[in-house]
Amino acid sequence: MPLILHIDSDRWRDHLRSTWNADIIPVAKGNGYGVGNPRLLAEARALGAKTVAVGTYTEVPPDSKDDVVVLSPWRSFLDVPQGKNVIHTVSRLADLVSIPAGSRVLIEVQTSMRRHGIGARELRHTMLLNALDRIKFEGWSLHFPMGAGGTSANIREAAELGKQARAVRQGPLWVSHVPAQKLADIGENVKLRMGTGLWLGDRGAFTVRATVLDVHSVRRGERVGYRQRRVTGDGHILVVSGGTAHGVGLEAPTAAASVRQRAIAVAKGSLDAAGMALSPFTIEGKQRWFAEPPHMQASMLFLPSSVAPPAVGDEVGVDVRYTTTIFDKVSMD
Amino acid sequence: MSDLSIRTISADEHAAYLAAQPSASFLQTPGWAAVKSEWKAESLGWYDPSNPGELVGVALVLYRQMPKVKRYLAYLPEGPVIDWDAIDLGRFLRPLAAHTAEQGAFGLRMGPPVATRRWTAKTIKDAIAGGQQPKLGDVRADVIEPSGATVAAQLRALGWKAPKSGEGFAAGQPQYVFQVPLAGRSQDDLLKGMNQLWRRNIKKADKLGVEVTLGTPEDLKAFHQLYVETAERDHFTPRPLPYFVKMQAAMANQPADVCDFRLYNAYHEGDLVASTIWVRVGGHSWYSYGASSTAKRDVRGSNAIQWRMMSDALSAGATVYDLRGITDTLDPNDSHVGLIQFKVGTGGEAVEYVGEWDLPLNKALYTAFDLYMRRR
């Protein structure tokens, strides 16, 4: 039995409609924020978006009529789809002269992110000025950091860099990680790329459910699992759907920003070291411990005897990161 | 064949000899010595002892002093001007070494104006697009010049050291240049050879009313302002205005009118949008320095001014329009490739020269100088 993402489609689409406007470019990349890119592209079209953004060239939909912006910068060694609807991001001077003439191009400017982009001091380089007429210039692109104190700093930086870039060549400014209602503070003709805020902006519309596949009663000290660990008390072993193949139990490095978050990370880390790990599966309103590391498609949990075990076939809740989980099914309810 | 004789000659003799040649580098004209006034210089002439009145070759030698001692590197930029197809180059080079050693040189450096290989614009374009990221020197050439190999073999046999690839003296002249051949071609042929973007931009500039005119020495100041603006944009250190004033005065007023030195200005509605320096010696013409405004890029002044310089080179009877140095990188990930792309658009060819060769005259001092230059 599968790991299923249930979406309350009316509630989700209400949120999409109230969030999206013509200045917002929906982003569909990676695992499609758990929902899957094909569905996101269909929803974007239903909203009325004429342009969408994808992460990489491999994510460009093969037969799209709409404009598709590729966020990863163009490189000469990449396999690039030839469609006239593809808008490339160019982040280095060398690429401006190497990309095929006539390509549709957004020029990315380096921000405090320091990831990709042409530095502000290179914006008037003769090579850039000359290259502007080799290509079909579609605008400037800026990518900002997220989180603590970010918003006002990002707005300031966007306004400043935008002014510098537009002094070189007029065109739309494409930004990320800026609140939609603040776009006017940056200037005229600003487009906002939006992924998480759009698709996952109302988590209440999403429920993830796993299925109980097996239940066994165990006594304290009995060995269980591939690794034959002893259980810590009397209770039940539950086998539930959802394992490493779905991304369950796999964590990206912590992005803990506050002291409290760090403390939690440290505590979790020491529990990890002791071989104890809290699972994302919730039973009776609480996250339950893994009995051992998750298997490929299922996980073994330990449920203490104080809690009545669910029956085989029951569904349990799962708290996962949508961008790192591959669901067996997305159900539009 | 016995060795030739060599003696110091006057600027007049020097220039008159050059003026009678099909071409020579402007760095070998007597005027260039005045441009590089921080170095001692002398004009040399070769002659057959049986006929002392007739020169058979000339050279401009710049003596570059070594720090702390009164000894010099004798430098012949893009020279000497001799018959490089001679059976025995030693007849020229042995007397040159003896003469410069007498003048206090611990070593000789020269850049024979001898091409070794040529690559067409198409070959270069394909190599960049091929994604193998080769060096130009590793790409199969379209033309291999027979003189190149024989000159290099002779120089080795005579004890000269081949150019060091990569690091070394940073003072030298480029080994790879980009040239547009003009011999036997018409203006139409030149336009047809250019890529679409160049042709479109030349047309556009014309339609928008860009006017290219010949400048006067008084225009150097405006040229220099634009050149400083360009230097700020592209992050290179500009030469000061007096350098160009000196260059104009020294190069334009040479005996026998050996050097045709011009300033070109491109205007759009009264605004200077591009300004360049153009030089010609016999059949060889060069685009030497260029500057363009940050504003009004869309009127394509840079393309208009290049087209005018090329056309004027053609009507002056030049056989080559030389856009000077290119790096040998064909890696599309290297920003230097932009310069090549701009030049390749003219439809010309990349030319490899034999490079700069050294002859140590005093081993210890030469080695010390070499080390000093590398560590600078």
Side-chain angles (χ1 to χ4, degrees), chain A residues 75-77 92-95 97-98 121-122 124-127 129-130 133-134, chain B residues 197 200-201 230 233-235 292 294 297 300 332-335 337-339 341:
Chain A
R75 291 288 180 266
S76 61
F77 45 80
R92 300 183 307 167
L93 280 182
D95 298 326
V97 298
S98 298
R121 62 192 295 271
E122 301 291 347
R124 288 163 180 270
H125 199 288
T126 305
M127 210 154 70
L129 300 178
N130 285 342
D133 66 352
R134 286 187 71 248
Chain B
L197 188 67
R200 205 177 64 206
N201 286 338
T230 305
R233 272 199 325 253
D234 296 357
H235 312 300
S292 58
T294 311
R297 302 298 301 182
R300 307 313 320 160
N333 296 304
D334 185 325
S335 60
V337 87
L339 186 66
Q341 299 269 45

Side-chain angles (χ1 to χ4, degrees), chain A:
Chain A
M1 284 297 268
L3 183 69
I4 300 181
L5 169 62
H6 293 271
I7 300 180
D8 175 344
S9 53
D10 290 344
R11 180 172 170 172
W12 189 47
R13 287 180 178 137
D14 281 347
H15 159 75
L16 297 182
R17 276 191 295 270
S18 63
T19 306
W20 186 81
N21 64 55
D23 292 331
I24 291 177
I25 310 296
V27 178
K29 64 181 184 182
N31 71 339
Y33 299 83
V35 181
N37 288 328
R39 183 177 298 279
L40 296 186
L41 292 169
E43 295 292 336
R45 202 165 304 121
L47 286 170
K50 292 279 174 278
T51 307
V52 291
V54 298
T56 62
Y57 285 106
T58 53
E59 293 170 345
V60 174
D63 42 14
S64 168
K65 297 275 179 293
D66 301 331
D67 283 349
V68 180
V69 174
V70 181
L71 298 175
S72 288
W74 183 90
R75 291 288 180 266
S76 61
F77 45 80
L78 295 174
D79 254 342
V80 174
Q82 293 306 315
K84 272 275 169 266
N85 63 323
V86 178
I87 300 175
H88 308 270
T89 302
V90 167
S91 68
R92 300 183 307 167
L93 280 182
D95 298 326
L96 266 183
V97 298
S98 298
I99 196 166
S103 301
R104 300 174 69 187
V105 166
L106 286 177
I107 300 178
E108 183 160 0
V109 182
Q110 181 79 271
T111 68
S112 46
M113 261 293 272
R114 291 303 179 88
R115 184 167 63 175
H116 299 300
I118 291 172
R121 62 192 295 271
E122 301 291 347
L123 286 180
R124 288 163 180 270
H125 199 288
T126 305
M127 210 154 70
L128 184 145
L129 300 178
N130 285 342
L132 279 174
D133 66 352
R134 286 187 71 248
I135 56 168
K136 195 170 170 317
F137 176 74
E138 297 276 355
W140 301 98
S141 172
L142 301 168
H143 209 102
F144 293 108
M146 301 190 261
T151 297
S152 56
N154 288 355
I155 300 281
R156 267 198 311 277
E157 191 176 0
E160 179 50 38
L161 285 174
K163 207 170 75 190
Q164 285 181 42
R166 283 165 160 179
V168 174
R169 179 71 175 260
Q170 278 300 329
L173 204 60
W174 300 58
V175 298
S176 311
H177 304 145
V178 170
Q181 55 277 17
K182 300 266 190 188
L183 290 190
D185 298 354
I186 297 171
E188 294 280 294
N189 197 4
V190 180
K191 295 175 189 286
L192 175 64
R193 291 177 295 244
M194 197 186 270
T196 307
L198 180 65
W199 309 120
L200 303 178
D202 179 7
R203 305 273 163 125
F206 286 47
T207 324
V208 182
R209 309 205 62 85
T211 312
V212 178
L213 304 175
D214 234 325
V215 182
H216 314 289
S217 78
V218 285
R219 309 295 303 271
R220 182 183 169 165
E222 282 181 347
R223 292 182 181 276
V224 300
Y226 279 127
R227 290 169 181 78
Q228 290 292 288
R229 284 188 184 156
R230 292 178 193 278
V231 289
T232 49
D234 296 353
H236 292 89
I237 293 292
L238 310 183
V239 184
V240 293
S241 56
T244 54
H246 302 90
V248 166
L250 305 180
E251 273 184 298
T254 175
S258 70
V259 173
R260 184 171 172 277
Q261 283 176 315
R262 288 216 178 102
I264 292 169
V266 169
K268 272 184 153 174
S270 56
L271 287 168
D272 282 350
M276 300 285 284
L278 211 50
S279 85
F281 298 91
T282 51
I283 293 157
E284 298 282 328
K286 267 180 83 172
Q287 277 182 276
R288 300 300 167 179
W289 296 98
F290 279 120
E292 72 163 346
H295 304 166
M296 195 166 175
Q297 289 171 309
S299 295
M300 292 175 84
L301 312 178
F302 173 70
L303 194 65
S305 55
S306 55
V307 184
V312 170
D314 283 358
E315 288 193 326
V316 298
V318 199
D319 177 21
V320 290
R321 269 182 77 174
Y322 295 104
T323 52
T324 58
T325 309
I326 298 143
F327 299 100
D328 292 315
K329 191 174 158 199
V330 178
S331 168
M332 299 296 280
D333 305 338

